C-alpha cells in the first residue's frame, strides 16, 4: 500500500512545481531546443502568411476607410471598410459576444489550437524572436553556456546585437499595432512630423519597451501567468476536446530503449523516455503528465517525438492532436450537449448580428430638447423650443442635410449655420429652434415629426416633443 502511495506521489510530483520557477523561487529561464519537423515547417509557412496579413492590412483601404481600425480614443471602429460609431455600439457588442462564443465553441472542440497557430504572442515569440535568438546565440546548449558565461567581449557582442534587433522589431510591431488603432495615414503623418506629435512618440516608445520586455525576458510567462484565455482552459476543455496529447495507452510503461530491454523484450510501452519532447517545450513542461495549463499547443513536442519514433522504427503519433476519450476509449469526436448548446447560442447571435447589420441605417440621428429649458415666447407671438441634434454619417460621402417640419406648420432655424453638412464617416452636432404659431399648438405637449432630407430626398424622420403654454384655444 505504501509503495503504491509513493509511486502515486512521485507521479503527481509535477503538480507541486512550475517549470519556469526554481525551488528558490527565482525565474528558471527556459532554453528550448530548436524544433524541427513537419508541423514546425507548416507553422513557419503559416507565419509567413500571417505576417503578410498582419503588416499588410493597415495599408488596405475600402472607400477611403481602412479595412480595419479600432480607434478606442475617438470611439470609431472600422470593420471591412464599414464605420461603426458609438451609436452602433450594440452591433459591436453583439459582434464581440458572437466572437467570444465562437472562441469558446472553438476551444471546446479544438482546445488551444489558436494559441499555437494564430496568437500574436506565440507567432512573434516562437516564430520571429526565438528564430533570431537561435541564429545569434545558437541552439539551447549554446544559449545556456552563454547565459552562464562571465561577461566578456564575446558575450557583450552577442547581447548587444540581440538587443538592437529585438528592440528594432519591437518598435516595428508597436507601430503596426498603433496603425490598427489610429489608422496608417495618421501614423505616417506622426512619423513624418515627430516633433509635432511628441506625445504619440512617447507612447510609441513605451509600447516598444513593453513589447521588448515581453520578448526579451517575460516570454512564456504571458501565456502562463497573464493571458486570461489560457486560464480559461480549465473550464472550457473536456474529455472530447482535441489537444496536443501524449498517448499514454500506447506509450506506458515507458523506459529507456537499451540492447538488454530489446533482447529480453522487457520494453513494453513505446515511450523510450528520451525527454526529446520536454527539451523542445517552450514552457518547460512534460506533456506526458497530461494536459496542462502551460501547454500552448505549439506542436514542437509532436515533431520531436515523431523524429524519435521514426528513429526507433515505431509508428509516429505517440504525441499528437487527440482527445482524452479518443486515447482512453478509442472514441471519435462526439457532438455532445455542451457543443450543441454553444452552437445554438452562436447561431442565434450571428442571426441577430446579421439582422442588425442589414437594418443599419446610413444616417444616425439623436434628437433631444435642450435640457433645463421649456419654451420661449418670441416678440411676434410665436412659441419656440430649442433642440440638440447629433448626426452620424456612416457613408463614404458627405451628406448635406435639410430639416423640415412634417406634421405641423412652422419654422426650423438652425443656429450658427444655414445647412448641415455631415462629412463622410463623421458626426456633427447641431442646435436649432422650432418656432410654431400659437394657434397651431393644441396641447402643452405637441408631437413633432421632423424630416431629414438629402438633396430633396427624405432619408429619415425623427420625432420630438414641443412644449408650449398650458392651455390654448
Ligand atoms: S507540451 Fe508540446 S505543445 Fe505544449 S507547449 Fe510544450 S512543446 Fe508545445
Ligand atoms: S519524445 Fe516521445 S519517446 Fe521521447 S520521452 Fe517524449 S514521448 Fe517519450
Amino acid at each position: 500500500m505504501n509503495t503504491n502511495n509513493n509511486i502515486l506521489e512521485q507521479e503527481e510530483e509535477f503538480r507541486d512545481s512550475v517549470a519556469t520557477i526554481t525551488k528558490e523561487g527565482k525565474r528558471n529561464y527556459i532554453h528550448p531546443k530548436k524544433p524541427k519537423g513537419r508541423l514546425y515547417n507548416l507553422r513557419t509557412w503559416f507565419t509567413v502568411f500571417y505576417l503578410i496579413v498582419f503588416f499588410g492590412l493597415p495599408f488596405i483601404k475600402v472607400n477611403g476607410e481602412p479595412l480595419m481600425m479600432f480607434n478606442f480614443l475617438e470611439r470609431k471602429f472600422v470593420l471591412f471598410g464599414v464605420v461603426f460609431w458609438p451609436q452602433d455600439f450594440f452591433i459591436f457588442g453583439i459582434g464581440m459576444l458572437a466572437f467570444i462564443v465562437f472562441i469558446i465553441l472553438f476551444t471546446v472542440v479544438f482546445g488551444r489550437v489558436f494559441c499555437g497557430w494564430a496568437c500574436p504572442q506565440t507567432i512573434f515569440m516562437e516564430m520571429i524572436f526565438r528564430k533570431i535568438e537561435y541564429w545569434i546565440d545558437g541552439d539551447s546548449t549554446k544559449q545556456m553556456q552563454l547565459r552562464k558565461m562571465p561577461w566578456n567581449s564575446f558575450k557583450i557582442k552577442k547581447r548587444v546585437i540581440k538587443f538592437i534587433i529585438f528592440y528594432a522589431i519591437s518598435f516595428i510591431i508597436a507601430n503596426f499595432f498603433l496603425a490598427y488603432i489610429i489608422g496608417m495615414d495618421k501614423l505616417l503623418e506622426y512619423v513624418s512630423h515627430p516633433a509635432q506629435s511628441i506625445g504619440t512618440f512617447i507612447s510609441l516608445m513605451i509600447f516598444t519597451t513593453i513589447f521588448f520586455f515581453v520578448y526579451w525576458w517575460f516570454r512564456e510567462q504571458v501565456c502562463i501567468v497573464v493571458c486570461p484565455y489560457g486560464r480559461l482552459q480549465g473550464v472550457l476543455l473536456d474529455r472530447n476536446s482535441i489537444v496536443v496529447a501524449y498517448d499514454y495507452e500506447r506509450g506506458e510503461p515507458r523506459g529507456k530503449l537499451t540492447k538488454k530491454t530489446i533482447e529480453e523484450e522487457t520494453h513494453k510501452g513505446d515511450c523510450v523516455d528520451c525527454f526529446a519532447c520536454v527539451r523542445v517545450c517552450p514552457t518547460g513542461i512534460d506533456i506526458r503528465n497530461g494536459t496542462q495549463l502551460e501547454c500552448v499547443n505549439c506542436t514542437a513536442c509532436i515533431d520531436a517525438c515523431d523524429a524519435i519514433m521514426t528513429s526507433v522504427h515505431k509508428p509516429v503519433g505517440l504525441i499528437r492532436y487527440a482527445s482524452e476519450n479518443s486515447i482512453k476509449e478509442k472514441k471519435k469526436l462526439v457532438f455532445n450537449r455542451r457543443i450543441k448548446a454553444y452552437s445554438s447560442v452562436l447561431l442565434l447571435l450571428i442571426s441577430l448580428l446579421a439582422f442588425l447589420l442589414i437594418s443599419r441605417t446610413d444616417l444616425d440621428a439623436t434628437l433631444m430638447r435642450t435640457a433645463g429649458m421649456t419654451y420661449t415666447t418670441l416678440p411676434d407671438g410665436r412659441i419656440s423650443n430649442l433642440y440638440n441634434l447629433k448626426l452620424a454619417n456612416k457613408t463614404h460621402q458627405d451628406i448635406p442635410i435639410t430639416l423640415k417640419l412634417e406634421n405641423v406648420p412652422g419654422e426650423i432655424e438652425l443656429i450658427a449655420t444655414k445647412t448641415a453638412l455631415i462629412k463622410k464617416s463623421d458626426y456633427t452636432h447641431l442646435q436649432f429652434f422650432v418656432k410654431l404659431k400659437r394657434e397651431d399648438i393644441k396641447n402643452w405637449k405637441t408631437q413633432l415629426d421632423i424630416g431629414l432630407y438629402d438633396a430633396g430626398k427624405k432619408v429619415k424622420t425623427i420625432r420630438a416633443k414641443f412644449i408650449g403654454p398650458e392651455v390654448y384655444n
Side-chain angles (χ1 to χ4, degrees):
M1 184 70 177
N2 264 345
T3 325
N4 280 348
N5 281 347
N6 285 345
I7 293 170
L8 211 64
E9 267 172 31
Q10 274 171 18
E11 280 176 356
E12 297 291 303
E13 221 172 57
F14 76 96
R15 293 188 199 282
D16 302 336
S17 58
V18 179
T20 50
I21 299 174
T22 62
K23 281 196 177 125
E24 295 77 42
K26 291 191 180 139
R27 172 77 183 275
N28 187 19
Y29 211 83
I30 307 279
H31 294 285
K33 197 170 156 47
K34 188 171 188 241
K36 56 177 180 223
R38 188 177 56 90
L39 288 169
Y40 188 66
N41 292 343
L42 256 175
R43 283 178 63 221
T44 304
W45 281 112
F46 182 76
T47 301
V48 172
F49 165 75
Y50 187 96
L51 294 180
I52 291 172
V53 173
F54 178 80
F55 291 117
L57 274 188
F59 291 100
I60 301 174
K61 283 190 172 182
V62 178
N63 297 322
E65 291 291 344
L67 190 70
M68 288 197 183
M69 192 175 85
F70 306 93
N71 195 336
F72 300 98
L73 311 169
E74 290 177 11
R75 291 174 294 159
K76 180 182 175 184
F77 303 92
V78 185
L79 280 178
F80 303 105
V82 180
V83 182
F84 293 88
W85 292 101
Q87 289 88 341
D88 294 315
F89 192 75
F90 58 100
I91 300 184
F92 208 76
I94 297 285
M96 289 307 290
L97 260 177
F99 179 69
I100 291 168
V101 176
F102 169 75
I103 292 282
I104 291 173
L105 180 67
F106 191 81
T107 310
V108 166
V109 182
F110 296 108
R112 290 180 84 169
V113 168
F114 169 82
C115 299
W117 290 78
C119 173
Q121 166 65 16
T122 315
I123 293 263
F124 291 136
M125 183 65 244
E126 301 305 325
M127 306 310 280
I128 298 183
F129 289 96
R130 191 88 71 185
K131 276 179 191 277
I132 292 168
E133 194 166 66
Y134 288 131
W135 173 62
I136 297 171
D137 293 348
D139 210 342
S140 55
T141 320
K142 286 200 173 149
Q143 286 180 16
M144 282 188 271
Q145 285 167 355
L146 197 66
R147 177 166 287 273
K148 285 180 193 149
M149 194 184 281
W151 285 97
N152 55 30
S153 60
F154 176 75
K155 184 168 173 171
I156 292 171
K157 194 176 102 194
K158 292 250 178 204
R159 289 291 188 252
V160 168
I161 293 172
K162 198 163 95 172
F163 181 94
I164 293 170
I165 295 177
F166 272 36
Y167 206 86
I169 297 173
S170 302
F171 181 69
I172 294 169
I173 293 172
N175 270 277
F176 274 82
F177 269 111
L178 188 62
Y180 277 98
I181 297 173
I182 61 170
M184 188 48 92
D185 288 349
K186 259 197 191 159
L187 177 73
L188 292 176
E189 203 182 302
Y190 288 152
V191 171
S192 48
H193 305 99
Q196 287 162 23
S197 46
I198 198 76
T200 311
F201 182 71
I202 290 170
S203 340
L204 202 60
M205 293 317 288
I206 292 172
F207 278 106
T208 301
T209 309
I210 293 171
F211 281 125
F212 173 77
F213 167 75
V214 166
Y215 297 119
W216 180 274
W217 191 81
F218 204 50
R219 302 192 159 196
E220 75 290 334
Q221 296 298 306
V222 172
C223 311
I224 299 174
V225 183
V226 181
C227 177
Y229 179 62
R231 306 204 76 82
L232 268 179
Q233 302 305 311
V235 287
L236 295 180
L237 299 184
D238 66 11
R239 297 172 70 85
N240 278 312
S241 305
I242 297 167
V243 289
V244 171
Y246 165 69
D247 187 343
Y248 52 86
E249 290 288 338
R250 186 187 138 189
E252 300 298 316
R254 67 186 78 163
K256 299 259 181 251
L257 197 63
T258 59
K259 211 173 158 209
K260 193 167 165 242
T261 57
I262 295 170
E263 278 167 6
E264 293 172 12
E265 291 188 0
T266 52
H267 197 277
K268 297 275 191 302
D270 276 359
C271 175
V272 295
D273 210 14
C274 63
F275 280 85
C277 52
V278 182
R279 277 195 291 271
V280 290
C281 181
T283 59
I285 59 167
D286 186 341
I287 192 65
R288 295 173 300 168
N289 292 327
T291 304
Q292 291 148 78
L293 181 137
E294 292 94 329
C295 176
V296 291
N297 276 219
C298 73
T299 72
C301 54
I302 299 182
D303 278 337
C305 188
D306 280 354
I308 297 295
M309 288 297 106
T310 309
S311 70
V312 295
H313 308 294
K314 299 218 161 140
V316 295
L318 180 57
I319 301 176
R320 60 179 187 274
Y321 279 118
S323 68
E324 171 64 16
N325 273 345
S326 76
I327 291 173
K328 181 88 185 154
E329 290 152 36
K330 313 278 179 257
K331 275 188 191 164
K332 291 224 161 90
L333 175 67
V334 184
F335 201 64
N336 59 19
R337 258 192 295 172
R338 189 153 70 130
I339 300 178
K340 281 180 195 161
Y342 285 146
S343 305
S344 312
V345 175
L346 182 63
L347 203 69
L348 210 73
L349 286 171
I350 290 175
S351 311
L352 181 62
L353 188 64
F355 171 75
L356 290 173
L357 283 172
I358 292 165
S359 58
R360 178 180 184 260
T361 53
D362 287 343
L363 187 74
D364 242 345
T366 314
L367 179 67
M368 277 188 294
R369 271 178 10 86
T370 304
M373 288 185 75
T374 54
Y375 64 90
T376 311
T377 307
L378 300 172
D380 62 6
R382 287 185 298 170
I383 307 295
S384 86
N385 277 198
L386 182 59
Y387 294 89
N388 286 307
L389 177 61
K390 275 186 192 163
L391 291 166
N393 177 358
K394 299 171 191 169
T395 69
H396 300 287
Q397 285 106 34
D398 296 349
I399 303 181
I401 282 289
T402 42
L403 280 70
K404 274 186 203 163
L405 277 174
E406 305 270 274
N407 61 335
V408 191
E411 185 196 345
I412 290 180
E413 186 195 328
L414 290 172
I415 297 175
T417 176
K418 287 224 157 48
T419 52
L421 183 79
I422 320 153
K423 292 229 163 75
K424 61 177 182 174
S425 307
D426 203 352
Y427 59 90
T428 194
H429 180 204
L430 297 173
Q431 275 197 311
F432 63 89
F433 287 109
V434 172
K435 298 173 182 176
L436 301 186
K437 284 184 183 162
R438 282 176 173 253
E439 56 268 31
D440 293 324
I441 302 170
K442 309 288 184 225
N443 296 303
W444 72 277
K445 243 184 192 179
T446 306
Q447 182 176 296
L448 299 180
D449 287 349
I450 301 171
L452 305 183
Y453 288 81
D454 170 13
K457 192 174 154 230
K458 187 152 87 175
V459 284
K460 208 177 186 74
T461 304
I462 46 176
R463 288 192 154 171
K465 290 273 184 264
F466 186 91
I467 305 288
E470 188 77 29
V471 178
Y472 275 90
N473 301 329

